[in-house]
Amino acid sequence: MSSDTPPTDLWLERSRLAGMILAAVSYGGFFILTVQAASSLMQRPRNGGKIADNRLWLLFYIFITFVLGTVGFAANSKYTEMIWIDLRDVPGGPAALIENELDYSINIVAVSCYYIMECFMQALLLHRCLVIWHWSRRVMIPMVSLFIVMIVLSIIVLIQASTGLVWYNINTVLIYLCIDVGFTLIYTILVASRLLAMRSQMKRVGVYSNVYDTVALMLIESAALYTPFAIVFIFAFALHSDISNLCFLAISHVQGISQLLIIIRVARGRSVPHE
């Protein structure tokens, strides 16, 4: 690279490379927790196997999200190689390749995998929420509506991305991210408040209720891992800041990790089943 390369281009390239390194770290954690979750689900839980009915579904969820996350990470890794090795002599150099990444089908594959992965993760959250609220209509209607809106927006994003637009110019992405974070926060509030209400009822009849505190804390911890990361990404994306490159490639892995932490606790009998 010539010495007269604009500083902004250098920061763009550095942020993209740093983002790929963070993605590799987060994928490593995602991989390890996937193995632990699958191993835990195939063993007998400590509480007498009470999650046996859901075990196959959870294993399917773990398998499909791991495959999608792996394909997405592999595609991003390959494009990173293309940026600085295979296509480094294209007009504009690596900076142009980063800004116009949606011109290459390998990135469309990566984005598609992560959006489909996101749909599975949010579907799991939705199911948990509806079960805990006993499929109450006042909860089911708004939550299902938000979920459908996210699916529609993700399809629109993928269609727009396939036309080769600059990623920052796809305003639908920002709307999707805001709804996604809002969905996660609403889910956490709904489920935690429901569990704490159950805890209060159990205390009134003199029944051991500390387990509800544990489950509520587990959900809050899970949301605390993903939500701040996503909020930073939203603000950086809205401002067209290169800081978003630090979050973009890892955000799906972080959300997957937060989900797997819950699954592992449930599989090991550290949570309670529907009953």
Side-chain angles (χ1 to χ4, degrees):
M1 186 176 296
S2 62
S3 59
D4 59 349
T5 301
T8 53
D9 287 353
L10 289 177
W11 166 237
L12 173 64
E13 294 177 33
R14 289 167 180 160
S15 65
R16 178 57 170 74
L17 183 58
M20 192 63 228
I21 294 172
L22 290 175
V25 173
S26 61
Y27 177 78
F30 179 65
F31 173 80
I32 292 172
L33 290 175
T34 296
V35 173
Q36 290 181 353
S39 176
S40 297
L41 284 169
M42 289 186 288
Q43 297 174 4
R44 182 179 297 278
R46 297 176 183 177
N47 291 342
K50 291 184 179 180
I51 65 165
D53 293 339
N54 297 327
R55 186 173 299 175
L56 291 179
W57 287 108
L58 289 175
L59 283 171
F60 171 76
Y61 164 84
I62 290 171
F63 173 77
I64 194 68
T65 52
F66 177 70
V67 170
L68 290 168
T70 300
V71 173
F73 177 71
N76 284 329
S77 298
K78 176 58 181 177
Y79 190 66
T80 300
E81 177 185 301
M82 292 166 63
I83 290 173
W84 281 284
I85 300 176
D86 300 340
L87 303 176
R88 62 183 176 183
D89 294 328
V90 301
L97 292 170
I98 296 170
E99 291 178 355
N100 302 314
E101 59 185 354
L102 295 182
D103 289 341
Y104 298 85
S105 59
I106 191 170
N107 290 313
I108 305 299
V109 171
V111 171
S112 300
C113 286
Y114 284 130
Y115 270 92
I116 297 172
M117 179 182 174
E118 179 80 17
C119 286
F120 277 100
M121 291 189 288
Q122 297 293 26
L124 182 60
L125 292 183
L126 177 63
H127 179 263
R128 286 189 192 130
C129 183
L130 297 182
V131 167
I132 289 178
W133 278 89
H134 298 292
W135 303 90
S136 171
R137 287 188 178 182
R138 63 195 178 105
V139 172
M140 183 170 65
I141 292 176
M143 292 300 284
V144 171
S145 298
L146 281 175
F147 181 69
I148 293 173
V149 169
M150 283 194 297
I151 292 177
V152 173
L153 288 174
S154 65
I155 293 173
I156 293 174
V157 170
L158 293 178
I159 292 174
Q160 292 177 320
S162 64
T163 63
L165 292 175
V166 175
W167 180 247
Y168 286 123
N169 293 339
I170 304 178
N171 294 327
T172 312
V173 174
L174 186 59
I175 300 173
Y176 174 88
L177 289 170
C178 292
I179 295 178
D180 176 56
V181 173
F183 183 90
T184 303
L185 289 174
I186 293 171
Y187 155 80
T188 304
I189 293 170
L190 284 173
V191 174
S193 63
R194 179 71 168 174
L195 291 172
L196 293 176
M198 291 178 179
R199 171 182 176 274
S200 179
Q201 293 174 3
M202 293 297 101
K203 276 192 171 183
R204 290 196 193 110
V205 296
V207 177
Y208 180 74
S209 59
N210 287 344
V211 66
Y212 292 102
D213 292 337
T214 302
V215 178
L217 181 60
M218 177 178 65
L219 295 173
I220 293 171
E221 288 174 349
S222 176
L225 176 65
Y226 166 70
T227 303
F229 198 85
I231 290 175
V232 171
F233 181 47
I234 288 173
F235 278 101
F237 187 92
L239 296 173
H240 290 197
S241 170
D242 294 338
I243 293 176
S244 64
N245 289 323
L246 301 176
C247 307
F248 175 49
L249 302 177
I251 191 168
S252 294
H253 303 153
V254 173
Q255 188 173 12
I257 287 171
S258 66
Q259 296 271 21
L260 288 170
L261 289 173
I262 295 178
I263 292 175
I264 291 172
R265 291 191 181 188
V266 172
R268 292 178 178 176
R270 296 176 182 172
S271 182
V272 293
H274 170 257
E275 291 78 11

